[in-house]
Amino acid sequence: MQTESRSNRLAGKKILITAGASGMGRAGAELFAEHGASVCIADYNESAAKEVVEIINGKGGRAYSLFADLTDMDTSRRIV
C-alpha cells in the first residue's frame, strides 16, 4: 500500500479502528495503512471487515480483523 506520494509517518504504530468495515471507519483504516500503520478492524460485520483486511493486505499494508459487538461494554473493554 506504500506509494511514492505517501509517507511512512505511522510505521511501527498499531491502530484500532472500530466500525472499520464500512464508511468513515473503512476510509480511516485504509488511510492509516497507507501511512504505514498496522490496522486492526473491529466490527460486528465480520465478512465486511475481512474484505477490508484483504484489500489492505493485498496492497502491501498490514491489517487484521476482529469480530466485536461494540454495544457490549465488556467486549469493548476487552478489545482495547
Side-chain angles (χ1 to χ4, degrees), residues 2-26:
Q2 302 301 317
T3 64
E4 297 286 338
S5 62
R6 295 290 185 181
S7 70
N8 279 334
R9 67 182 179 197
L10 296 177
K13 302 294 183 184
K14 296 175 184 169
I15 309 290
L16 171 63
I17 304 288
T18 57
S22 62
M24 294 301 291
R26 178 179 176 156

Side-chain angles (χ1 to χ4, degrees), residues 52-75:
V52 177
V53 167
E54 288 177 17
I55 290 168
I56 291 171
N57 290 338
K59 292 180 179 179
R62 296 182 66 200
Y64 63 96
S65 63
L66 176 66
F67 171 77
D69 178 359
L70 299 171
T71 63
D72 177 63
M73 189 58 74
D74 289 334
T75 300

Side-chain angles (χ1 to χ4, degrees), residues 17-61:
I17 304 288
T18 57
S22 62
M24 294 301 291
R26 178 179 176 156
E30 290 177 355
L31 184 62
F32 285 129
E34 287 176 9
H35 284 279
S38 296
V39 180
C40 173
I41 299 168
D43 203 288
Y44 191 77
N45 187 337
E46 190 172 18
S47 62
K50 287 181 179 181
E51 180 183 318
V52 177
V53 167
E54 288 177 17
I55 290 168
I56 291 171
N57 290 338
K59 292 180 179 179

